[in-house]
Amino acid sequence: MTSDSVTQQTGKVPFTTRQWLIIALLCGTQFMLALDFSILSVALPVLGEDLGFKLSDLQWVVTAFALPSGGLLLLFGRAADLYGRRNWFIVGMVLFTVASLAGGLAPTPGFLLAARAAQGVAAAMLTPAAMSLLTTSFAEGSQRDRALGINGALLSLGFLSGVVLGGVITDFTSWRVTLFISVPVGVVAAIAAPILIKESRNEQTPKLDLLGAVTVTGGLLSVIFGITSAERNGWSSTTTLLSLAAGLVLLIAFFAVESRVAAPLVDLKVLRRRTVSWGNATGLVTFAMMTGMVFLLTLYLQQVRGMSPLNAGFTFASLGVAAVVGGAFAARIIGAIGVHRALVYGLLLQAASTAALYFLDAAGSMPLLLIATATGGFGHLLAVVGYMITATSGLPDHEQGLATGLAYTGQQLGVTVGTPVLATVAAAGIDSAGGSGSAAVLNGVQEGLLVAAGALLLAGLAAMAFLRPDRTPAAETPAAETPAAESPAPGDKVSVEAR
């Protein structure tokens, strides 16, 4: 049987060697960015002692990266569309490599924070450029779905393995090595990009919407700053409230500007597509609740079970393995049941697994934790791939930078908001249970897990209601009656959804 006949029977077009190299380059970049976001978390106490950080200022090592990487995504996504995605990718990779080297060599707290901010700027350049290059390098359908499945697996694995690797590397070498490991990767990626990838940009390059860029960037930065400061100062503090209020005003101004300019930064018609708006909303929730759950379980493992940071990090290995398995099978599952069902089932599976963690106790529930986190990790990965396909499908190539910028803005907001929101819920539960001791901490963790499960359940129901494909004649045609060469790829179900 020839390879062509196999392709016709399975509907799966194999990747060429060049396509595999492109996947390795672009998906590997996403893994590196996710890894760098989380890898210093476990190392913060050691890092602070080495450089002389005040304990209350350690959060800025993470926040300095999160602010620009989330706030600049939409601006840089559109810039990549207009000025060349490959060029934007290379410049971002060079900046990220230099910033990682500078951070690893940092002699003072201020120097490290500046390097982390530069990493965040570079991440905001790389993320939409890499994703739009990925989506434009593969035709919409089964090939793109498989590529996005691999990307989603590496993305989730990057966040989760950062927690483990950060503890291992810091324990055996130095926290500086956690930053140095990105340097050789960045050098190889910057050299490989112009060899493997063709330049991709819009044929027409209108002026960049500067007023829209200023308002949306300022709004996102203010919102992210307000959310991250809430964990330190409280949700009722003046700093938090003023930041969130300023962000809201600027974002309202942004939408007013976009409705009036000839060449908007964000075409509001794109935002009105249900696949974009509701797809990104589900992505925000799945990332927020996964990040928040990891925080709650870290609290449980160290303050209830008395584990060291290193051992607590290794406990999340099952979560990482499940994410890899989910990525390996996500495209196949989507091909069998469709993108919509994969997204819904992923969210509901993550919700059920998070709810099961409510039954953790102070002594003998490690099997429950390992099984539930693995199951939740698989569901989370399925939801991530489902929402990325949903949020970027059915759009022309010249909108892919914007679409991926929107998708990753939702992801970044989710990663940012999850921990402070669930930390607030947990703190209230700890206070209500007496405010001290492992029993009180366990109560706070359990209440936070219930809130996370509820949010995921609502997201799953919303996806079920608002992202269901229309029953068009094309969608109802049995696969057996459609010639294999002309049949839509499994992932194409998104493209027939109502807009």
Side-chain angles (χ1 to χ4, degrees):
M1 183 179 292
T2 67
S3 60
D4 288 342
S5 62
V6 172
T7 297
Q8 287 183 349
Q9 289 186 19
T10 63
K12 181 186 292 186
V13 180
F15 292 133
T16 64
T17 301
R18 186 184 187 87
Q19 286 177 319
W20 274 117
L21 290 174
I22 291 173
I23 287 173
L25 172 64
L26 298 177
C27 296
T29 296
Q30 301 292 357
F31 173 83
M32 181 183 70
L33 295 177
L35 182 76
D36 262 77
F37 183 87
S38 61
I39 198 168
L40 282 178
S41 299
V42 177
L44 286 179
V46 177
L47 178 157
E49 184 177 347
D50 187 23
L51 290 183
F53 270 92
K54 293 181 180 178
L55 185 62
S56 59
D57 291 335
L58 278 177
Q59 66 152 346
W60 284 103
V61 176
V62 177
T63 303
F65 185 101
L67 279 172
S69 66
L72 296 171
L73 273 171
L74 284 180
L75 171 60
F76 287 168
R78 176 52 80 196
D81 280 341
L82 298 180
Y83 304 128
R85 299 174 181 115
R86 188 186 69 179
N87 289 339
W88 207 250
F89 176 88
I90 294 170
V91 172
M93 185 61 71
V94 170
L95 176 58
F96 191 86
T97 303
V98 173
S100 298
L101 179 62
L105 297 172
T108 64
F111 196 98
L112 176 63
L113 293 181
R116 289 289 285 172
Q119 280 187 313
V121 172
M125 297 178 71
L126 284 168
T127 297
M131 273 303 299
S132 55
L133 286 171
L134 187 68
T135 54
T136 55
S137 296
F138 297 91
E140 187 172 339
S142 61
Q143 275 205 334
R144 185 184 293 181
D145 292 353
R146 288 159 59 205
L148 289 173
I150 295 169
N151 183 76
L154 291 176
L155 184 67
S156 294
L157 181 62
F159 278 111
L160 299 173
S161 61
V163 179
V164 178
L165 286 177
V168 173
I169 292 172
T170 302
D171 201 49
F172 289 103
T173 58
S174 166
W175 64 267
R176 296 180 185 275
V177 178
T178 64
L179 293 168
F180 287 147
I181 58 176
S182 298
V183 175
V185 177
V187 171
V188 172
I191 294 172
I195 298 172
L196 292 175
I197 303 174
K198 296 179 181 179
E199 182 56 285
S200 170
R201 62 159 58 89
N202 290 2
E203 294 182 2
Q204 297 180 347
T205 55
K207 290 183 178 179
L208 193 62
D209 173 19
L210 292 179
L211 185 56
V214 170
T215 51
V216 73
T217 301
L220 289 172
L221 287 173
S222 296
V223 168
I224 294 171
F225 177 79
I227 292 170
T228 54
S229 67
E231 191 174 1
R232 175 185 179 187
N233 302 318
W235 288 94
S236 61
S237 72
T238 302
T239 300
T240 301
L241 293 177
L242 286 178
S243 298
L244 293 175
L248 180 61
V249 170
L250 286 169
L251 290 176
I252 291 174
F254 165 71
F255 284 106
V257 168
E258 297 306 276
S259 64
R260 290 170 172 79
V261 297
L265 181 70
V266 175
D267 187 345
L268 297 183
K269 289 185 293 185
V270 173
L271 286 178
R272 284 194 286 268
R273 295 170 68 103
R274 286 187 294 147
T275 51
V276 173
S277 56
W278 284 104
N280 285 321
T282 60
L284 187 154
V285 173
T286 188
F287 270 104
M289 296 304 105
M290 176 56 69
T291 307
M293 183 201 74
V294 170
F295 165 77
L296 293 175
L297 292 181
T298 301
L299 203 64
Y300 165 77
L301 291 169
Q302 294 188 38
Q303 297 194 19
V304 177
R305 300 297 294 261
M307 288 187 176
S308 67
L310 181 62
N311 289 334
F314 275 122
T315 304
F316 292 111
S318 62
L319 190 58
V321 171
V324 174
V325 173
F329 289 96
R332 189 174 301 177
I333 294 171
I334 287 171
I337 66 177
V339 176
H340 175 251
R341 288 181 179 176
L343 175 59
V344 171
Y345 294 167
L347 289 166
L348 295 180
L349 183 59
Q350 188 181 346
S353 302
T354 304
L357 291 169
Y358 174 81
F359 298 100
L360 292 173
D361 56 38
S365 50
M366 285 304 293
L368 170 63
L369 186 146
L370 295 174
I371 294 171
T373 53
T375 307
F378 186 89
H380 168 68
L381 198 283
L382 197 59
V384 169
V385 178
Y387 110 82
M388 286 300 301
I389 295 173
T390 300
T392 58
S393 294
L395 292 167
D397 282 353
H398 70 270
E399 295 286 2
Q400 284 299 323
L402 170 60
T404 54
L406 288 168
Y408 275 92
T409 298
Q411 169 200 306
Q412 194 65 50
L413 286 174
V415 170
T416 303
V417 74
T419 296
V421 167
L422 293 186
T424 301
V425 175
I430 292 171
D431 289 341
S432 67
S436 63
S438 61
V441 173
L442 178 60
N443 182 71
V445 168
Q446 289 173 327
E447 291 191 8
L449 290 168
L450 280 184
V451 170
L456 288 163
L457 175 61
L458 290 176
L461 294 176
M464 191 183 302
F466 298 114
L467 290 172
R468 174 172 295 179
D470 285 339
R471 297 295 293 174
T472 61
E476 294 174 349
T477 302
E481 296 178 14
T482 306
E486 300 175 3
S487 62
D492 286 345
K493 295 188 177 184
V494 172
S495 63
V496 298
E497 293 180 12
R499 305 296 192 251

